Amino acid sequence: LDTTEALFKLALSQQKYGKVMHMVRHSRLCGRAIVAYLQNKGFPEVALHFVREPRTRFRLALACGNIEAAMESAFTLEQKAQAEGKDTGRDVWGELGSEALRQGNHQVVEMSYQRTKDFDRLSFLYLITGDTDKLRKMLKISNMRQDIMGRYHNALLLGDAAERVHVLEESGNLPLAYISATLHGLMEDADRIKITIETNGGSVDGLMDKVS
């Protein structure tokens, strides 16, 4: 009569974790039933030792907050998906990023956002971590991608008034561009935009009254 599983569950219930880990390493305990039991009892960190399948391992690692194990599984899943010509697993990196953010691990958060190409969140991460150099790189990337909203968003986070005026002007929002240039004392830009507005039959009269 093999009582290994019963002894394992008893040690777990008695919180004898040293004995539990000894049995994990030296016994032949395995199978979905044991993993399910450990999950149901709230011991995903122990269940992690029984699992090699990357997606299940990823879920368990997230459940117990093991970022390193989750990241290892995420890389494995990504490589497998790429080899099969499938989606690289945006959902996996998204979930990893959320857990890393909860733990305050901004390096893993950054990597997750980069892999999911979540540019807006990446810019905000650089803002709250004070990394203005990378924030300026995000501005250049949005420029290369011809992403008008991304350009304006990054210029706003950087406090770059001149860039915001240029974005508004290039996107055809001339009244807003004129107001923004005037408010920030960019009079050369304001004069140029005024000429463009008037050339097209418009007027800047009363525009500044709207923000006063």
Side-chain angles (χ1 to χ4, degrees):
L1 180 64
D2 188 354
T3 60
T4 304
E5 184 175 331
L7 291 172
F8 174 78
K9 292 179 178 180
L10 179 63
L12 199 62
S13 67
Q14 293 176 341
Q15 299 182 353
K16 294 180 179 179
Y17 299 124
K19 187 175 182 180
V20 167
M21 294 314 299
H22 181 271
M23 294 181 76
V24 167
R25 294 189 184 100
H26 298 95
S27 71
R28 294 183 179 179
L29 283 168
C30 63
R32 293 181 181 178
I34 284 291
V35 172
Y37 175 83
L38 290 167
Q39 283 183 281
N40 291 335
K41 293 298 181 180
F43 296 100
E45 67 279 8
V46 180
L48 199 57
H49 291 275
F50 291 94
V51 177
R52 290 292 171 265
E53 195 281 315
R55 188 164 292 276
T56 305
R57 190 171 172 79
F58 175 76
R59 298 290 178 209
L60 289 170
L62 283 186
C64 62
N66 189 332
I67 290 295
E68 288 187 10
M71 188 163 57
E72 181 184 325
S73 297
F75 276 120
T76 302
L77 288 167
E78 182 181 63
Q79 290 167 1
K80 183 180 178 183
Q82 287 175 343
E84 295 173 353
K86 298 179 180 178
D87 178 42
T88 54
R90 183 184 175 89
D91 59 328
V92 169
W93 289 108
E95 289 180 55
L96 179 60
S98 296
E99 177 58 26
L101 186 64
R102 189 186 69 80
Q103 293 188 22
N105 190 332
H106 65 85
Q107 290 92 349
V108 175
V109 174
E110 178 184 9
M111 185 183 65
S112 299
Y113 289 169
Q114 287 172 343
R115 287 184 124 72
T116 57
K117 293 182 171 58
D118 196 336
F119 297 116
D120 288 343
R121 289 186 179 182
L122 198 53
S123 293
F124 190 70
L125 176 68
Y126 293 146
L127 173 70
I128 62 176
T129 55
D131 200 332
T132 53
D133 288 339
K134 287 185 178 178
L135 197 50
R136 290 200 178 278
K137 287 181 181 177
M138 294 303 297
L139 178 57
K140 289 180 181 178
I141 290 170
S142 60
N143 218 331
M144 291 167 59
R145 295 176 63 241
Q146 298 182 327
D147 179 3
I148 291 292
M149 285 304 297
R151 274 181 67 190
Y152 191 85
H153 181 222
N154 284 297
L156 190 65
L157 296 181
L158 282 164
D160 190 337
E163 179 66 17
R164 294 203 300 275
V165 170
H166 292 153
V167 172
L168 289 169
E169 185 178 6
E170 290 173 24
S171 61
N173 293 288
L174 296 178
L176 284 175
Y178 176 79
I179 291 170
S180 184
T182 304
L183 285 175
H184 291 94
L186 302 170
M187 300 319 298
E188 286 187 13
D189 290 328
D191 290 341
R192 183 186 68 254
I193 296 164
K194 178 183 177 183
I195 292 170
T196 305
I197 291 173
E198 291 176 346
T199 300
N200 289 304
S203 173
V204 298
D205 293 341
L207 282 180
M208 297 309 297
D209 295 339
K210 296 178 180 181
V211 293
S212 60

